[in-house]
Amino acid sequence: MDVFLQLTLSGLSTGMIYALAAAGFVVIYKASDVINFAQGDFLLLGTYLLFFSVVQLGLPTSLGVLLTVLGAVAAALLIERLVLRPLIGEPVISTIMVTIGLSSVLRGLVHAVWGVSPRSIDSVLPTGTTAIGPVTLSTARLLIVPIALAVLAALWLFFRHTRDGLAMRAIADDRQAALSLGINIPGVFGLAWGLAAAAAAIGGIMLGSIVGVTPNVATIGLRVFPVVILGGLDSIRGAVVGGATIGLLEAYAGGYLGRGLNLVLPYAVLVLVLMLRPYGIFGRVEIERV
Amino acid sequence: MRPSASDLPPTEPDLRRNAGPKRLRAARSLLPMLAFAAFSGAALGCPGGETADETTADVVTVGAIFDLTGPTADVGVDYAAGVRGFADWTNSRGGIGGDGTEGSGVRIDLLFQDYGYQVARAEQLYSQFVGEGAVVFMGWGTGDTEALATRVRDDEIPFSSASLSHRLGDPSEAPYNFLLAASYSDQFRIALDWIARNHDEGAPAVALLHNASPFGLSPARQGGEEFAESRGIELSLHPMPRGAVDFTSELIRARQAGAEYVIFQNTSDPAARAMRNARSLGFEATFICLNWCANRQFVDLAGEAAEGVMGAMPFPPPNADVPGTRVIKGYLAARGDDVEERTNAFTQGWWTFAVFAEAMERVLASGEELVGENIRRALEGITDFDMGGVAMPVTFTPTDHRGAKGLRIYRVEQGAWSPMTDFLEADATPDSEAEAGGEVR
């Protein structure tokens, strides 16, 4: 039982970080139909901005966290303004290709500025362990789950109950109609990128606390794809469910099966889901009548 | 040429080559590759891609590949700095066989690039540098070094890598590969031997948590499993997948296997992460790092979780006080580098190249041509080469390319690695438990 609990916590906390990255992915897709391949690299950027703020600038942790989120948002807005906005109206594939290039550029910039050696940083979250019955659990991991859920809930509420959220959904649904209604498409795109970067930066901050500041954080971004395919490309709820499912699958596969299957299983699930539910669990099913 | 504590620090390194038409042609041919590398972010900070003069009486061309951006860059960067540092230091003293004055020896022309721990890229760079005249090669990873062994043999290029895979020290399999430190298998056997001799009662259970790669499996697959069985040790293997956020699952499996000892065959970053996970789980075991995580970086990254971890360390960090590190300290000080920022990977890179330079110096002294075959023979003639106490003296023979077979076991005490034992060898059989445990020195 204690093994099961430890694996569950490990899987859930990891899954919630995946969900945060995936939520940013979803926000951009919902607003612009763009699949952002650089989303995982915003996790990396968040981790290193935290290092920059707290270690290199010596700011208090709370200020460092704030600066990290603001810095990631500023970077995203800059990227959207200079790189993505000129592509409005171009085929979606062009934008996707640009995000693939952007992924390499972001990673390269992080390497160039901070190097590739891992860095140590004081955890933003409380260190130590918490005993729950006979089970010893990492306090930081325990805290990651509610924090991530709160951020994801805020994003969900934003889409459901704000004008800007509605505008994003309108643009995703029919860009021409949204334009004719006077919706500021460039502004909404900028907002989407900013929100996506903020979610990823929060994920990066939490990763920095449990994994450390390392270039390997970027590889975690790859796990975003099975998460969003499973949950649905345009669903925040799907990102949560997908993140939790993939995180738990990894943990249980690693703990009960071993042999490195924990990193293979998510992709096996991805293939299976695509075969059975191409739009994901919560994805919108598009039906075209001809 | 043996560096000593009295050696003067170097001047600024000069690795530039003579420009000429040949250089321009080769540079043009490299432009597409450089563009690709820059785009992929893989060559940042790396001046690779320059062309070389072929080896002449005044210059010897040496090829090198480093992992500066890939999954083992956490230790690769410092190793590369050690190799490059030795080349700079040697050139500042006139080159191989030099007497300290400019032009008195053979200058080292070091061609190097980051290969990101990709076997295909390693093979491409190897071909490129050998094509540009490299007569000696300094490599890195186990997978790529093993993949290149046949070509290295055919090209007659003496090759040393940071990989300490046991089979690379067998001349019948890899006649041009040379190991400068205890192989992974030897490190593993020394650790297992220490466990068997110091275990209280019953059969000790050991878990090997290893990088999911040939490098990670090397200690167990190349003699380690048989050794464990012969010593009555219950051994279980647990791959540490690359890119994993944490290793809770692997540690839980190790604990379920009853492991009382956990040995890490991985680099410092993932090993430190696993160590923090282990403390969070309350996993009570003795943890031992083999050489690529037994370093300062591991302690920095793991923090308090590193306390009490043991390490099988063939090379000490540069700040250790032995003659073989004093020259490194002098070099770093002259450059304004902080020796405390360097790890034992730097020492290993420096001294690996130093032994090859010693062989080249012997070739020059005998009046022979500086080519691969002659350098190999010179290496095989090296007996008890003293590296100033940084590692066991190196001996190569035509039938054994494992230069040193011993190491010291260290332990993290108050945030720093402290030596627990003198040099232990894989086939050593100390007479007493106390001797096996070793005196703290």
Side-chain angles (χ1 to χ4, degrees):
Chain A
M1 188 61 188
D2 58 339
V3 167
F4 177 78
L5 272 177
Q6 277 166 334
L7 289 173
T8 302
L9 175 71
S10 170
L12 269 181
S13 54
T14 302
M16 285 304 102
I17 291 171
Y18 294 164
L20 279 171
F25 194 95
V26 166
V27 168
I28 289 172
Y29 184 79
K30 273 173 94 86
S32 59
D33 272 352
V34 168
I35 293 173
N36 177 22
F37 281 87
Q39 189 59 28
D41 299 285
F42 279 101
L43 282 174
L44 181 73
L45 189 64
T47 305
Y48 275 90
L49 283 175
L50 180 71
F51 172 77
F52 172 71
S53 308
V54 174
V55 176
Q56 293 182 307
L57 293 184
L59 296 175
T61 303
S62 53
L63 266 180
V65 167
L66 186 65
L67 189 68
T68 297
V69 175
L70 291 177
V73 169
L77 292 176
L78 198 69
I79 287 165
E80 192 280 327
R81 182 70 187 82
L82 298 178
V83 181
L84 277 305
R85 196 168 297 185
L87 292 170
I88 290 177
E90 298 297 328
V92 169
I93 187 68
S94 306
T95 316
I96 289 171
M97 292 307 293
V98 165
T99 67
I100 292 172
L102 189 61
S103 168
S104 292
V105 170
L106 279 175
R107 208 171 301 186
L109 278 173
V110 167
H111 287 175
V113 175
W114 287 287
V116 294
S117 298
R119 312 295 191 100
S120 52
I121 185 170
D122 288 339
S123 176
V124 168
L125 300 168
T127 53
T129 57
T130 302
I132 300 177
V135 186
T136 306
L137 301 169
S138 157
T139 308
R141 285 186 169 275
L142 276 171
L143 288 171
I144 280 173
V145 179
I147 292 170
L149 282 173
V151 173
L152 292 161
L155 274 175
W156 182 76
L157 289 169
F158 169 84
F159 271 104
R160 298 281 294 189
H161 300 291
T162 67
R163 286 176 61 84
D164 287 326
L166 187 65
M168 280 188 190
R169 286 155 58 199
I171 291 168
D173 197 51
D174 190 330
R175 196 176 293 187
Q176 289 297 331
L179 201 58
S180 66
L181 287 169
I183 292 174
N184 175 8
I185 290 182
V188 169
F189 281 4
L191 181 64
W193 277 82
L195 284 173
I202 293 166
I205 289 164
M206 289 193 282
L207 268 177
S209 293
I210 60 167
V211 171
V213 181
T214 162
N216 292 336
V217 163
T219 61
I220 291 155
L222 293 174
R223 231 77 86 242
V224 169
F225 296 102
V227 169
V228 292
I229 295 294
L230 181 63
L233 279 170
D234 54 358
S235 170
I236 300 286
R237 277 183 307 160
V240 177
V241 172
T245 306
I246 296 296
L248 288 169
L249 275 173
E250 280 184 9
Y252 295 146
Y256 293 123
L257 302 175
R259 300 179 180 275
L261 288 173
N262 40 345
L263 293 195
V264 176
L265 204 63
Y267 296 98
V269 169
L270 184 147
V271 171
L272 197 67
V273 168
L274 280 173
M275 287 166 65
L276 300 175
R277 286 185 68 94
Y279 296 101
I281 297 170
F282 294 97
R284 183 180 51 182
V285 181
E286 291 180 12
I287 299 169
E288 288 189 25
R289 299 190 186 281
V290 292
Chain B
M1 181 176 53
R2 301 186 192 199
S4 71
S6 63
D7 287 315
L8 293 169
T11 55
E12 274 301 302
D14 179 15
L15 293 176
R16 290 181 192 166
R17 300 164 180 89
N18 297 327
K22 184 178 168 185
R23 178 183 179 181
L24 291 173
R25 278 200 304 276
R28 274 198 298 272
S29 73
L30 288 171
L31 277 175
M33 190 181 70
L34 280 174
F36 171 78
F39 176 78
S40 66
L44 284 161
C46 170
E50 293 177 60
T51 61
D53 301 316
E54 292 196 2
T55 296
T56 66
D58 301 326
V59 178
V60 60
T61 305
V62 176
I65 52 170
F66 303 127
D67 184 6
L68 305 179
T69 56
T72 59
D74 51 347
V75 289
V77 170
D78 232 22
Y79 181 85
V83 170
R84 292 171 61 192
F86 179 80
D88 293 348
W89 177 85
T90 303
N91 286 339
S92 73
R93 297 171 44 80
I96 294 171
D99 59 10
T101 59
E102 181 136 3
S104 56
V106 174
R107 191 168 59 83
I108 297 169
D109 191 2
L110 183 67
L111 307 178
F112 65 91
Q113 266 197 38
D114 171 30
Y115 81 114
Y117 209 64
Q118 298 171 39
V119 174
R121 180 113 177 97
E123 291 179 319
Q124 181 259 314
L125 287 169
Y126 169 81
S127 299
Q128 179 190 326
F129 293 154
V130 170
E132 291 177 20
V135 294
V136 164
F137 210 95
M138 313 299 290
W140 175 251
T142 298
D144 38 276
T145 306
E146 289 182 347
L148 282 168
T150 307
R151 289 178 61 189
V152 165
R153 179 198 63 199
D154 295 345
D155 295 337
E156 297 184 344
I157 303 290
F159 193 108
S160 178
S161 81
S163 165
L164 300 171
S165 170
H166 200 70
R167 69 165 61 101
L168 293 170
D170 179 358
S172 67
E173 279 196 53
Y176 277 83
N177 289 78
F178 291 83
L179 265 61
L180 267 296
S183 72
Y184 297 138
S185 303
D186 284 349
Q187 292 177 34
F188 192 47
R189 286 201 293 260
I190 290 166
L192 291 175
D193 186 55
W194 186 91
I195 288 167
R197 291 175 183 280
N198 289 273
H199 188 68
D200 286 340
E201 54 186 45
V206 177
L208 177 69
L209 262 70
H210 62 86
N211 186 295
S213 68
F215 148 67
L217 276 169
S218 179
R221 291 284 188 259
Q222 295 178 32
E225 286 170 317
E226 293 82 352
F227 185 85
E229 195 176 350
S230 73
R231 289 308 195 91
I233 292 170
E234 295 169 14
L235 179 66
S236 59
L237 307 184
H238 306 273
M240 299 168 76
R242 286 188 208 171
V245 176
D246 80 344
F247 299 103
T248 299
S249 302
E250 288 73 20
L251 288 159
I252 284 174
R253 284 184 68 78
R255 191 165 62 178
Q256 285 180 308
E260 301 149 283
Y261 303 87
V262 175
I263 298 178
F264 292 118
Q265 166 68 343
N266 213 326
T267 59
S268 40
D269 179 22
R273 208 178 306 163
M275 203 55 237
R276 288 206 306 264
N277 295 154
R279 300 297 190 212
S280 295
L281 288 169
F283 188 176
E284 295 293 336
T286 300
F287 294 89
I288 304 171
C289 272
L290 299 189
N291 79 303
W292 288 116
C293 63
N295 54 36
R296 183 189 52 75
Q297 198 171 51
F298 171 84
V299 178
D300 288 348
L301 295 171
E304 290 175 5
E307 199 62 24
V309 172
M310 292 164 59
M313 210 183 280
F315 288 89
N319 64 358
D321 189 26
V322 288
T325 56
R326 285 175 204 149
V327 63
I328 295 175
K329 287 177 192 170
Y331 169 77
L332 291 172
R335 289 171 52 93
D337 284 355
D338 183 2
V339 69
E340 298 299 331
E341 290 298 307
R342 296 297 182 182
T343 67
N344 42 6
F346 189 100
T347 316
Q348 187 170 337
W350 178 287
W351 279 100
T352 296
F353 202 169
V355 172
F356 273 66
E358 169 71 14
M360 288 189 269
E361 189 171 348
R362 292 184 185 195
V363 171
L364 292 170
S366 67
E368 292 179 304
E369 196 184 352
L370 208 51
V371 294
E373 171 62 19
N374 294 339
I375 297 167
R376 179 181 67 87
R377 269 205 308 274
L379 279 162
E380 289 174 346
I382 286 176
T383 305
D384 285 336
F385 179 74
D386 179 18
M387 296 193 279
V390 297
M392 289 191 74
V394 171
T395 299
F396 293 120
T397 71
T399 56
D400 187 1
H401 286 189
R402 297 180 190 108
K405 297 180 177 66
L407 51 81
R408 286 189 178 102
I409 293 179
Y410 284 64
R411 184 167 49 205
V412 179
E413 290 170 353
Q414 296 180 322
W417 290 100
S418 302
M420 279 176 65
T421 70
D422 199 348
F423 284 111
L424 302 174
E425 290 195 61
D427 52 356
T429 50
D431 294 328
S432 69
E433 204 170 280
E435 199 178 341
E439 292 177 35
V440 177
R441 291 167 180 258

